[in-house]
Amino acid sequence: MIFIIDSTWPCSKKMLRQSKNLHNLPRVSFEHTKHSAFKIKTQPNVYCLSTIESTLCILELLNAQGIEDIKQKQLDEFLHPFEKMVEYQVKCS
């Protein structure tokens, strides 16, 4: 089971720092070469991704390790709602 914190970067860091419950859980880290597709909101560092982009990275890694069995088409379409949201944000700005 993997828990993913979905919030702003400052709020996530605060939760990790202050939550004793989270301190007791093992952490999963991963490396990637992706860049966030956000156009309006900027990430704090080049390696930072949005929650949904990070989730896709995790699913791809679990798939590659044989822990999950997700069809490539599903992975390819996973960010479609996110991409549509970014498109809408750009249109509205």
Side-chain angles (χ1 to χ4, degrees):
M1 184 179 310
I2 296 175
F3 292 97
I4 299 171
I5 297 173
D6 182 24
S7 72
T8 63
W9 281 100
C11 187
S12 294
K13 288 178 183 179
K14 184 176 181 179
M15 275 192 271
L16 286 171
R17 217 178 29 254
Q18 294 183 353
S19 172
K20 289 182 178 27
N21 292 329
L22 291 176
H23 289 182
N24 295 326
L25 296 174
R27 292 194 183 174
V28 174
S29 297
F30 59 92
E31 292 184 12
H32 63 87
T33 57
K34 299 178 183 210
H35 295 279
S36 181
F38 260 127
K39 303 274 190 257
I40 294 175
K41 181 180 175 184
T42 57
Q43 302 296 355
N45 292 296
V46 69
Y47 58 84
C48 295
L49 300 173
S50 67
T51 304
I52 194 166
E53 292 169 315
S54 296
T55 302
L56 178 58
C57 283
I58 292 167
L59 291 174
E60 290 171 335
L61 291 168
L62 292 172
N63 224 33
Q65 295 296 315
I67 297 168
E68 289 292 340
D69 184 23
I70 304 167
K71 292 179 177 47
Q72 188 60 48
K73 183 177 188 263
Q74 291 173 301
L75 293 171
D76 292 343
E77 295 174 351
F78 188 81
L79 291 180
H80 186 70
F82 172 75
E83 292 161 351
K84 289 294 184 187
M85 179 198 72
V86 170
E87 195 177 292
Y88 178 75
Q89 288 175 331
V90 169
K91 186 175 123 179
C92 289
S93 67

